[in-house]
Amino acid sequence: MTILIKNGTVVSPTGRTQADVLVDGEKIVALVTPGDTSLGVDLAATADTVIDAAGKYVIPGGIDCHTHMELPFGGTFASDTFETGTRAAAWGGTTTIIDFAVQVQGARVQDGLAAWHEKARGNCAIDYAFHQIIGGVDDDSLKAMDELVAEGITSFKLFMAYPGVFYSDDGQILKAMQKASDNGAMIMMHAENGIAIDVLVAQALARGETDPVYHGLTRPWETEEEATHRAIMLARLTGAPLYIVHMSAKQAVGTLAAARNEGWNVFGETCPQYLYLSLEENLAAPGFEGAKWVCSTPLRSRAEGHQDELWKYLATNDLSVVSTDHCPFCFKEQKELGVGNFSKIPNGIGSVEHRMDLIYQGVVEGRVSFERWVELCSTTPARMFGLYGRKGVIAPGADADIVIYDPDGHTSIGLEKTHHMNMDHSAWEGYEIDGKVDTVISRGLIVVADDEFRGHAGHGQYIPRGLSQYLI
Ligand code: URP
Ligand code: ZN
Ligand code: ZN
């Protein structure tokens, strides 16, 4: 099966070029300059399928390197399965996810990973890979880190938040970082001072402050900045590469930027919710409505200017990646677990379907370039997490994961509009995008075209990963 994508503008982090893209089977086999006849065949006449991409952008499929399908959290589970979540991702132009397998204290890391393979296998519409959460750093889990790196799980998430659940203390973090510094793995850090936050939460509840907004007010920027600084220093001490996930506070990113300016091997990720949404407009919505936007790190104050600063940090590469931290919960019966006590609201927002559009809107609004859009949403995630070459690039030999994006199209986001995630609400209700995902190809299969899903569960394959290209 061959596909020729004609007349489009191919966008990569290094520029835009007019080229036709030829796909054979699961791979990209050629990029042909229009008018170049040196191949000696009329590709348009011989290809099985010809797609006219005139006036459209042809970009490598999105890579969302931070998702949580079916994550157990707060007595419930994230509401997207691998089937529903990867289908929604495909609708939105994401062709690879990296999800987090979970190890909890006392359990074997290998068993946690096996459980994640079981959930995903045969169910995904697009390709997938795993990071591993280490929820209990001990001798066994440290040994397991070596085993996992050898089998393509090359990044490990640790938590400075959630004491008693996923939390690691500084000694445990130090040991895991020493291991990563030996075996080349990337340490991913949830950087919030969970011990301090738990005290602030208990004090707020004792004062009768139970509404969702207090989730944000009990996780002030200082708790993110302090933990970010501590994580950077421990990484510096051990020589481990460090990637700080879901950054929302401008001060925390400032600390990261200062370390990067020193040449230290540390990276930051943010998510669309921290670029667009805010404590005042969302988390502080009347009644219990704000529960829709409870996530950690929390949405920050617009008055304090975090959102604008984060966009600038994306442009300067102090923030290197935009993922979603997709962790959806329905309002009914899930978010509602926290009525009368904000600390019981499951933490997470669903966005896997909207990331490519939301960051494209940043291009339209002049915050980042076309090239940077591709870099933030596809190429850097591929390079950061050992997928590059196969993913994150339109070049001969790469997987045919391709999105055709229409700058003249329009996307209205909302529950009844573009929404295929397994949620009973949208955190993005009412957002309007001046562009549209037109066609999505996953390893040579057209999975979205003509406003129709044409993929199927089981098409997506597990992709073992190499080491990060950002190791030094
Ligand atoms: O609120 C969030 N971020 N939920 C998912 C778990 C995590 O910490 O990434
Ligand atoms: Zn986290
Ligand atoms: Zn997460």
Side-chain angles (χ1 to χ4, degrees):
M1 171 79 179
T2 55
I3 303 172
L4 181 69
I5 304 168
K6 270 174 69 78
N7 304 322
T9 302
V10 175
V11 186
S12 80
T14 54
R16 282 165 250 179
T17 170
Q18 289 302 122
D20 297 345
V21 180
L22 184 63
V23 171
D24 190 355
E26 299 192 344
K27 297 286 182 187
I28 296 168
V29 291
L31 261 69
V32 186
T33 310
D36 179 353
T37 52
S38 60
L39 282 179
V41 273
D42 180 354
L43 291 174
T46 53
D48 296 310
T49 304
V50 177
I51 301 173
D52 185 1
K56 297 178 184 144
Y57 296 106
V58 179
I59 63 171
I63 299 175
D64 191 341
C65 61
H66 189 153
T67 69
H68 297 286
M69 307 305 170
E70 304 179 44
L71 178 77
F73 196 107
T76 186
F77 290 83
S79 57
D80 263 320
T81 61
F82 278 88
E83 180 171 352
T84 61
T86 58
R87 189 168 57 219
W91 270 108
T94 284
T95 54
T96 306
I97 60 163
I98 313 182
D99 204 85
F100 287 82
V102 177
Q103 179 240 359
V104 289
Q105 208 167 1
R108 289 179 74 242
V109 172
Q110 293 88 339
D111 293 344
L113 176 60
W116 243 255
H117 275 296
E118 197 55 39
K119 288 174 199 278
R121 194 179 300 116
N123 290 322
C124 293
I126 54 166
D127 288 350
Y128 62 98
F130 295 134
H131 313 285
Q132 179 70 49
I133 286 174
I134 304 286
V137 177
D138 57 23
D139 289 347
D140 285 344
S141 51
L142 289 169
K143 249 187 249 142
M145 285 172 72
D146 285 334
E147 251 179 64
L148 264 61
V149 167
E151 59 183 77
I153 316 276
T154 55
S155 42
F156 298 91
K157 184 176 178 190
L158 302 172
F159 289 78
M160 302 168 101
Y162 308 135
V165 189
F166 294 129
Y167 174 81
S168 292
D169 66 28
D170 291 351
Q172 291 173 312
I173 290 170
L174 187 90
K175 285 183 187 168
M177 285 183 168
Q178 286 170 333
K179 176 60 78 181
S181 149
D182 279 353
N183 66 21
M186 177 70 79
I187 293 293
M188 305 174 78
M189 189 62 78
H190 180 131
E192 286 187 295
N193 185 327
I195 301 286
I197 287 168
D198 272 11
V199 173
L200 295 175
V201 168
Q203 290 172 344
L205 290 173
R207 287 193 296 269
E209 297 168 350
T210 60
D211 285 349
V213 70
Y214 292 104
H215 171 79
L217 297 176
T218 55
R219 308 176 95 89
W221 66 262
E222 290 90 340
T223 60
E224 184 182 343
E225 203 274 344
E226 184 278 330
T228 298
H229 182 259
R230 189 156 31 101
I232 289 169
M233 287 303 158
L234 293 173
R236 168 95 187 141
L237 184 63
T238 56
L242 174 68
Y243 175 98
I244 302 182
V245 295
H246 50 51
M247 299 191 79
S248 63
K250 63 180 181 181
Q251 296 88 347
V253 188
T255 293
L256 175 80
R260 288 174 60 76
N261 287 344
E262 293 295 318
W264 300 358
N265 205 26
V266 292
F267 306 92
E269 155 199 283
T270 194
C271 311
Q273 53 267 35
Y274 305 124
L275 297 165
Y276 284 102
L277 307 177
S278 74
L279 184 131
E280 298 94 328
E281 294 144 309
N282 302 99
L283 207 45
F288 190 64
E289 182 84 0
K292 290 178 182 171
W293 296 283
V294 164
C295 60
S296 296
T297 61
L299 302 186
R300 299 291 175 195
S301 159
R302 194 175 302 282
E304 290 173 7
H306 297 274
Q307 296 78 4
D308 283 345
E309 284 300 301
L310 261 48
W311 277 111
K312 284 186 205 155
Y313 281 125
L314 284 175
T316 59
N317 200 35
D318 290 302
L319 288 168
S320 307
V321 167
V322 179
S323 72
T324 57
D325 191 10
H326 178 73
C327 192
F329 295 100
C330 288
F331 197 79
K332 283 253 149 270
E333 292 177 15
Q334 292 198 297
K335 291 289 185 180
E336 282 179 355
L337 290 168
V339 172
N341 181 345
F342 68 86
S343 74
K344 301 251 187 281
I345 301 169
N347 286 200
I349 288 183
S351 311
V352 76
E353 188 169 353
H354 305 312
R355 181 185 61 127
M356 300 300 285
D357 283 325
L358 287 164
I359 304 309
Y360 178 75
Q361 190 62 23
V363 176
V364 173
E365 291 172 9
R367 292 180 179 272
V368 289
S369 68
F370 283 100
E371 290 81 359
R372 187 73 181 139
W373 171 51
V374 170
E375 190 167 38
L376 289 166
C377 294
S378 179
T379 307
T380 300
R383 297 189 62 204
M384 189 69 69
F385 294 112
L387 292 168
Y388 188 75
R390 187 162 178 192
K391 308 288 187 190
V393 58
I394 295 195
D399 281 356
D401 289 358
I402 300 169
V403 172
I404 302 173
Y405 200 86
D406 182 1
D408 296 323
H410 187 86
T411 305
S412 297
I413 303 182
L415 187 54
E416 306 295 334
K417 297 166 189 163
T418 51
H419 183 107
H420 301 86
M421 301 174 286
N422 186 32
M423 295 171 71
D424 60 1
H425 66 280
S426 170
W428 298 100
E429 194 68 51
Y431 270 75
E432 301 289 335
I433 308 295
D434 299 314
K436 187 176 191 302
V437 172
D438 177 278
T439 303
V440 182
I441 301 174
S442 161
R443 259 187 311 99
L445 180 72
I446 297 174
V447 291
V448 175
D450 303 325
D451 293 319
E452 197 178 87
F453 180 68
R454 299 187 186 165
H456 57 89
H459 168 72
Q461 288 182 354
Y462 171 67
I463 312 287
R465 297 180 291 114
L467 295 180
S468 173
Q469 284 193 350
Y470 290 88
L471 295 182
I472 43 179

